[in-house]
Amino acid sequence: MSSSPENHEPAPRVTVIGTGYLGATHAVCMAIMGFDVLGVDVDQRKIDMLTAGKVPFFEPGLPEKLEEALASGRLRFSTDFDEAAAFGDVHFICVGTPQAADSAAADLRYVESAFTALATRIDRKALLVGKSTVPIGTAARITEMVQSISPLGAELELAWNPEFLREGFAVQDTLYPDRLVFGVESAWAEQQLRTVFKPILDLDTPVIVADLATSELVKVAANSFLATKISFINAMAEICEATGADVNHLAKALSLDDRIGGRFLKPGLGFGGGCLPKDIRAFKYRAEELGVGQAVSFLGEVDSINNRRRVRTVDLIRELAGGNLDGVRVAALGAAFKPNSDDVRDAPALDVARLLYLEGAIVSVYDPEANENAHRRYPDLNYVGSMAEAVDQADVVALLTEWSEFRNADPDALGALVNHRRIVDGRHALDANDYTSKGWQYRALGRPAQAGTVALASDVRDETPTLVG
C-alpha cells in the first residue's frame, strides 16, 4: 500500500470525530496511508490514552499501528472542535449509534451533536462524511440541518461512507476492505472521497458510488443478512434437538452448495456485540416508521432465535449437571461476544454466565481480555485470572467464547482439574472425539448426546487476524 497519497493537489487533511472502536481505527489507518489526521473526542481520557500511544480497547494489531502513526508525526488527538474545523478538509464522523433507552430505534444524539459542532464552526468548503450506522433517511435530514446552520450553506457538503469492520480484524478490514461505498450528491464529493481513499483504490478495491439513502441501507442490509444466516442455522439446530438430527452434519452439507456457502453458517450460541443486535432492531423499527415493516418482519424472529440460544445453552448445562444448578460449580470460559475482542455488549457468553448465576450456580468466569469490561457490566459474577483457575473443581465446563486458548486446551490437563468431566461446547469449536475419548461428557447445541467430531466449513478470512505490514 502506498505510504502517501499521490496527488498533484495538496493532500486533504482529515479529521475523525469520535475515537471509539471505529474512529480510533480509522484515524490510525488514515495516518498510516499518508494523510495528516486529527482525531477528536469529547472524552479527555480517551484522548490522553491515544496521545500516549495506548488503545482504550483490545484490538489485535492496532497498538502497533498507533505507535507507527504517532511516530510519523501525521496523527494527533484533541478535544477541540474549533481546532478540528480549522484543520480538516474531510471530516469523518465515527460516533456511536446505540439502541435508544425506550425503544428499538437508534439513538442519534451523538451523530447530530458531532455534525452540529462541525457545521457551526467550519468557514471554508469542506466535506462531512458520516461513517456511523444510521437509519435510512438520516443523511438527507442531517444534510438539510448542517446546511441550515452553517455559515457556508450548501457549500458545506455531506457524504456517507459506511464501515464494514469486524472486531478483531479492524486494521485488516480498514486497509484492505472487500469494498468501499460512497454515498454522494456531487462529483466534487465523490472526488474528495476518491482522493482520501486513493491508496486503497489503487489496490483495485471495488467501489460502489451511490446516493445517500442506498449507502445507509448497504450497512444495515449487510448486517441483517449476516444475522439472518446465523439465526437460520441456529433455527435448524432447534429442529435437530427435537428430532435427534445433527446440525453440524446439516451445516456441512448446506455449506457445500455454493449458492449458500459456509461462512456464518455455523451453529452455536449466536451473535452479539455492539452492531448486529441493535442494528437489526433499529432497521426493523425504521422500516415500520416508513410503512414497510412487513418487509423485514422476519428480523424479529431472527432476534428471538438468537436470544433463545442463550437460554438453551443454560438448559444443556443444567441437564449435564443432573437437572438442578443450585450449588453447581460452572466454569464459564469466555465473556466477550467474540474472540479477539474485549467487547461485552449484548454478549451471549456473559448472558449465559448471568443466567447460571441467577439459578444458583457457582460461576467462575474467565476471558483473556474481557474480564474487566464484564465485571463492570455484571459485578456480582466471580471473575478469575486464568483458565486453570476457572475450571478448578468445576462440575461443568462451558465454552462460551471460542478463544484459541480454549479451543487448543488439552482435555486431559483440564480433566485433572475438574470435579466432573462434563463440557458444553457453546461454539461448536472443540474436537468432540478428543474429549469423549478422554472420558468427558460432551454436549453441543443441536447435536445428539453421543455426537462425534464434524469439521465445519472454515474460511481463512475468519481465522486469527493477520497483522498487516
Side-chain angles (χ1 to χ4, degrees):
M1 176 171 289
S2 173
S3 62
S4 62
E6 298 174 7
N7 200 321
H8 297 299
E9 299 295 325
R13 298 196 297 184
V14 173
T15 74
V16 176
I17 311 302
T19 60
Y21 174 78
L22 167 61
T25 304
H26 191 65
V28 168
C29 289
M30 282 282 120
I32 292 296
M33 289 191 287
F35 295 95
D36 289 326
V37 180
L38 179 65
V40 180
D41 203 294
V42 296
D43 187 335
Q44 186 68 56
R45 182 189 66 86
K46 286 184 183 177
I47 294 302
D48 291 344
M49 288 186 69
L50 289 163
T51 299
K54 299 177 181 178
V55 178
F57 48 87
F58 178 75
E59 178 59 39
L62 190 57
E64 295 83 355
K65 289 299 179 186
L66 172 61
E67 183 179 351
E68 180 184 341
L70 290 171
S72 74
R74 292 190 294 268
L75 178 62
R76 296 185 296 110
F77 295 96
S78 174
T79 58
D80 190 341
F81 275 86
D82 289 328
E83 182 182 6
F87 176 86
D89 303 301
V90 178
H91 304 266
F92 288 97
I93 285 71
C94 300
V95 297
T97 54
Q99 186 172 323
D102 57 353
S103 75
D107 184 347
L108 298 178
R109 77 179 89 172
Y110 307 111
V111 170
E112 292 166 354
S113 177
F115 275 103
T116 298
L118 287 172
T120 54
R121 290 171 167 84
I122 293 172
D123 59 5
R124 56 190 170 83
K125 188 170 180 61
L127 183 65
L128 305 181
V129 186
K131 288 191 73 67
S132 305
T133 303
V134 296
I136 311 162
T138 301
R141 180 174 60 80
I142 289 181
T143 297
E144 184 177 344
M145 179 191 77
V146 300
Q147 292 181 348
S148 69
I149 64 176
S150 169
L152 296 174
E155 195 174 358
L156 182 60
E157 293 194 38
L158 184 142
W160 219 266
N161 166 231
E163 56 84 14
F164 302 100
L165 304 189
R166 299 167 297 161
E167 293 194 34
F169 298 81
V171 175
Q172 187 79 15
D173 287 349
T174 301
L175 295 175
Y176 302 96
D178 51 18
R179 82 283 205 193
L180 291 170
V181 177
F182 298 162
V184 295
E185 292 191 305
S186 73
W188 176 81
E190 179 184 343
Q191 186 53 52
Q192 289 293 98
L193 288 175
R194 287 188 178 275
T195 300
V196 295
F197 285 106
K198 186 178 186 299
I200 294 174
L201 294 173
D202 284 348
L203 301 175
D204 295 325
T205 304
V207 59
I208 305 298
V209 180
D211 54 87
L212 294 175
T214 302
S215 67
E216 292 169 318
L217 184 56
V218 169
K219 176 60 188 294
V220 293
N223 277 359
S224 296
F225 189 92
L226 295 177
T228 301
K229 192 171 184 180
I230 295 166
S231 280
F232 173 83
I233 197 61
N234 282 334
M236 295 303 101
E238 292 187 14
I239 303 297
C240 289
E241 288 163 9
T243 61
D246 189 325
V247 71
N248 277 9
H249 285 298
L250 177 63
K252 187 168 185 178
L254 292 174
S255 73
L256 295 173
D257 186 329
D258 59 13
R259 298 169 300 176
I260 298 172
R263 292 189 78 189
F264 292 89
L265 198 73
K266 186 175 181 181
L269 191 45
F271 56 82
C275 290
L276 260 63
K278 62 99 175 171
D279 286 352
I280 64 171
R281 294 165 193 158
F283 187 24
K284 184 173 180 289
Y285 185 93
R286 179 57 176 154
E288 289 166 353
E289 285 185 328
L290 294 169
V292 290
Q294 276 193 318
V296 294
S297 60
F298 67 91
L299 290 178
E301 188 55 37
V302 166
D303 199 12
S304 295
I305 292 166
N306 190 57
N307 288 329
R308 286 201 299 272
R309 294 290 82 193
R310 306 175 189 199
V311 175
R312 179 56 185 145
T313 298
V314 174
D315 291 343
L316 270 184
I317 295 168
R318 188 190 309 107
E319 289 171 19
L320 209 51
N324 189 333
L325 284 168
D326 192 31
V328 172
R329 300 178 67 89
V330 180
L333 300 184
F337 86 97
K338 64 178 292 187
N340 301 311
S341 171
D342 62 356
D343 193 342
V344 298
R345 290 175 293 176
D346 210 342
L350 196 52
D351 265 3
V352 168
R354 179 181 61 89
L355 291 169
L356 292 167
Y357 169 80
L358 292 175
E359 286 201 33
I362 302 167
V363 185
S364 295
V365 180
Y366 168 64
D367 189 287
E369 295 293 340
N371 270 13
E372 185 177 342
N373 289 340
H375 184 268
R376 280 196 291 267
R377 182 66 59 91
Y378 293 130
D380 291 341
L381 297 176
N382 179 43
Y383 299 91
V384 297
S386 69
M387 178 167 57
E389 192 176 352
V391 303
D392 186 44
Q393 302 303 305
D395 298 306
V396 182
V397 176
L399 173 63
L400 304 176
T401 308
E402 64 274 36
W403 286 91
S404 59
E405 177 181 353
F406 306 149
R407 295 170 64 182
N408 298 329
D410 179 0
D412 277 333
L414 293 182
L417 298 172
V418 299
N419 269 340
H420 301 282
R421 294 193 177 200
R422 305 165 177 157
I423 191 161
V424 171
D425 183 1
R427 294 296 183 178
H428 295 241
L430 303 175
D431 185 335
N433 291 345
D434 193 21
Y435 274 82
T436 55
S437 70
K438 293 172 179 174
W440 287 79
Q441 289 178 265
Y442 172 93
R443 296 296 304 277
L445 294 163
R447 307 204 67 200
Q450 303 303 318
T453 300
V454 177
L456 294 172
S458 62
D459 192 296
V460 67
R461 292 168 292 182
D462 302 321
E463 300 300 324
T464 302
T466 302
L467 301 185
V468 294

